[in-house]
Amino acid sequence: MDEEELAEFIIRNPLAWRIWIKGYEDGLAQGHQDERAGMEDLVERIARRQRALQYCEGHIKKEQANTLTMEDVRRARAATRPGNYLGGPVAWESGGRDE
């Protein structure tokens, strides 16, 4: 029985129609329930992520600052060649330490 013959059988047979429509309605309801559950799960995951970000905000800011500092150091190292120092303060010597 091909698809067209099956459709004709379902349309012409009242019992087959009720069985088919019941399955269709159940499938549609389950799809809506799955969608709601998926959205609730998504909302919960977003809320957990937001709480984690708020909890770790200080650490994240420190890591960002360290990352930017390390990038500055990498750039300075890449631009520095032996013999090109022209004088001026040296960063590691100007920390306010007594010498």
Side-chain angles (χ1 to χ4, degrees):
M1 184 180 286
D2 67 359
E3 200 172 303
E4 289 179 14
E5 291 172 336
L6 181 61
E8 188 175 324
F9 171 75
I10 291 172
I11 291 170
R12 296 201 187 287
N13 185 328
L15 179 59
W17 174 258
R18 284 196 301 270
I19 292 170
W20 183 85
I21 200 71
K22 177 68 175 141
Y24 177 79
E25 290 170 343
D26 289 347
L28 193 58
Q30 184 64 44
H32 288 308
Q33 185 176 353
D34 290 348
E35 184 179 2
R36 277 193 302 274
M39 291 302 287
E40 290 169 0
D41 184 46
L42 178 62
V43 167
E44 185 178 324
R45 281 188 283 146
I46 289 170
R48 279 197 312 261
R49 185 172 186 269
Q50 185 66 30
R51 277 184 297 218
L53 287 173
Q54 288 172 347
Y55 180 74
C56 299
E57 185 176 5
H59 178 72
I60 291 169
K61 285 182 180 178
K62 276 195 277 184
E63 286 297 316
Q64 286 174 336
N66 288 342
T67 301
L68 293 174
T69 301
M70 289 307 295
E71 181 59 29
D72 289 342
V73 168
R74 276 190 221 98
R75 266 195 231 117
R77 283 182 182 161
T80 302
R81 300 285 176 256
N84 70 350
Y85 177 65
L86 302 175
V90 178
W92 59 84
E93 292 179 355
S94 62
R97 293 182 295 176
D98 293 331
E99 295 187 25

